[in-house]
Amino acid sequence: MTSKKRIFVWCLVLAFLAISLPLRADEASLKPFVLAYRGAGTIDAKLGEVKAAVEREGFHVVGEYVPFKGVHIIVVTSDALRNNAANSKFGAYGAIQRISLTEKGKDLQIAYTNPLYMVKAYRMKDSLADTAEKLAKALGRQETFGSKNGLKADKLLTYHYMMLMPYFTDQVELAKYKSQEEAIQVVTANLAAGKGGTVKVYRVDLPGKMESVFGVGIKAGDGSDEAVMKTVDFGELKQTAHLPYELIVSNGTVYMLHGKFRIAVDFPDLTMGTFMKISGAPGAIETALKQVAGEK
């Protein structure tokens, strides 16, 4: 065999291997949500079953939320999620996973946030592969969705919607207090009072760290959960596990993710035209959460 033929054969072998070998986790395209179930059923019939299934796999239900008719969201955490969050800067955003039950016509869809996607988007330390496996075992895993082609891990680590749009690291500081305890007390009281048209969905504290995450339902205004979702969640598979929004209290300071990041990272395929239809939402969300944070 001539040297040219030998090189050609090796090129064919290498090309075959590149196609046939599975992608490593850090090379694969990731999508924000996982479809667990799609078929006959109702929220009332499946809700207890879903909660029992995740609890058997070591998750703890920390909150439930009904943002509008036909949707029920369950928020869970676990020791693994909380410990991973404690080891990451602003990790509290990733201390939970959201599960959605959405009625669409006569069918029911059950979906959840993809831990493998979130861990990259929120720049967390560990892979959460075990968490992904446990959620799949508890609920099922038919397919990932929320983006046609998905995003590579390195793209997610530095994700922003487009030029001049915020990154994960562009945290919005809402209020600052002398202590973590004072900040927690203010946020808790304002959520109980429904400031800014909000409701408390959950609170999770991180171990060994002065950092907590609050899930906040937004029920009024341009940034309301219903207004945003009715505009952006138009696909066949529903992305209602996007909700609820969150804020974190870290060392006495209250932060939130900018709406232009938080919405975009869960809906990365949104066109600019659709984004412009909710142009008032990011500012309205920030206004509502500032009232929760007790901005003076």
Side-chain angles (χ1 to χ4, degrees):
M1 183 183 295
T2 67
S3 59
K4 286 185 178 180
K5 286 184 177 180
R6 191 176 294 112
I7 291 171
F8 177 72
V9 169
W10 274 111
C11 287
L12 288 176
V13 171
L14 291 173
F16 173 78
L17 289 173
I19 294 170
S20 61
L21 288 176
L23 290 171
R24 297 198 315 262
D26 61 344
E27 294 175 335
S29 291
L30 300 168
K31 299 181 182 181
F33 302 98
V34 179
L35 179 67
Y37 172 85
R38 184 184 187 187
T42 64
I43 291 171
D44 288 343
K46 288 283 190 179
L47 184 60
E49 179 183 325
V50 169
K51 289 193 286 187
V54 290
E55 286 170 350
R56 283 195 298 270
E57 291 302 316
F59 296 96
H60 315 291
V61 175
V62 292
E64 298 182 56
Y65 181 43
V66 179
F68 42 87
K69 186 178 180 181
V71 173
H72 194 108
I73 293 163
I74 303 165
V75 183
V76 300
T77 190
S78 66
D79 290 343
L81 283 167
R82 292 169 65 247
N83 288 332
N84 184 35
N87 290 327
S88 306
K89 188 174 182 180
F90 294 118
Y93 293 112
I96 56 88
Q97 294 289 318
R98 303 180 297 272
I99 304 163
S100 62
L101 291 85
T102 308
E103 292 176 347
K104 190 173 186 293
K106 295 182 179 180
D107 288 339
L108 177 71
Q109 295 180 18
I110 300 173
Y112 53 91
T113 44
N114 183 357
L116 304 180
Y117 185 94
M118 288 181 65
V119 79
K120 297 298 183 182
Y122 294 163
R123 304 188 183 190
M124 304 186 78
K125 296 288 186 183
D126 299 329
S127 71
L128 294 183
D130 288 346
T131 296
E133 289 179 8
K134 288 181 178 180
L135 283 170
K137 183 178 178 181
L139 302 173
R141 188 181 188 277
Q142 293 187 9
E143 62 178 290
T144 57
F145 70 100
S147 174
K148 182 179 179 181
N149 297 318
L151 297 172
K152 296 292 180 66
D154 58 351
K155 174 76 171 178
L156 265 176
L157 283 169
T158 57
Y159 178 79
H160 66 152
Y161 179 68
M162 62 182 298
M163 187 179 297
L164 303 181
M165 289 286 201
Y167 294 82
F168 173 74
T169 49
D170 294 321
Q171 299 285 320
V172 179
E173 184 177 312
L174 300 173
K176 193 169 187 176
Y177 295 90
K178 294 180 180 179
S179 69
Q180 180 77 353
E181 293 75 15
E182 183 184 3
I184 292 286
Q185 288 173 2
V186 171
V187 169
T188 300
N190 286 340
L191 283 172
K195 293 289 184 69
T198 63
V199 294
K200 177 185 173 184
V201 180
Y202 65 86
R203 169 186 167 184
V204 172
D205 304 321
L206 301 191
K209 188 177 184 180
M210 289 193 295
E211 191 162 292
S212 300
V213 58
F214 288 82
V216 181
I218 301 175
K219 306 293 284 187
D222 289 343
S224 73
D225 296 327
E226 184 170 14
V228 170
M229 295 304 286
K230 284 192 172 179
T231 301
V232 302
D233 192 22
F234 50 79
E236 182 66 23
L237 297 179
K238 310 312 290 181
Q239 296 172 230
T240 33
H242 166 73
L243 301 173
Y245 220 90
E246 56 276 306
L247 59 77
I248 67 171
V249 183
S250 183
N251 295 306
T253 302
V254 187
Y255 300 95
M256 63 172 278
L257 288 169
H258 199 293
K260 291 178 181 178
F261 174 87
R262 176 64 170 79
I263 296 170
V265 78
D266 279 353
F267 293 87
D269 290 357
L270 281 185
T271 65
M272 181 55 72
T274 302
F275 227 134
M276 289 304 296
K277 291 179 182 178
I278 56 165
S279 60
I285 293 168
E286 183 173 335
T287 296
L289 295 190
K290 279 181 176 177
Q291 293 183 57
V292 173
E295 182 194 44
K296 298 178 177 63

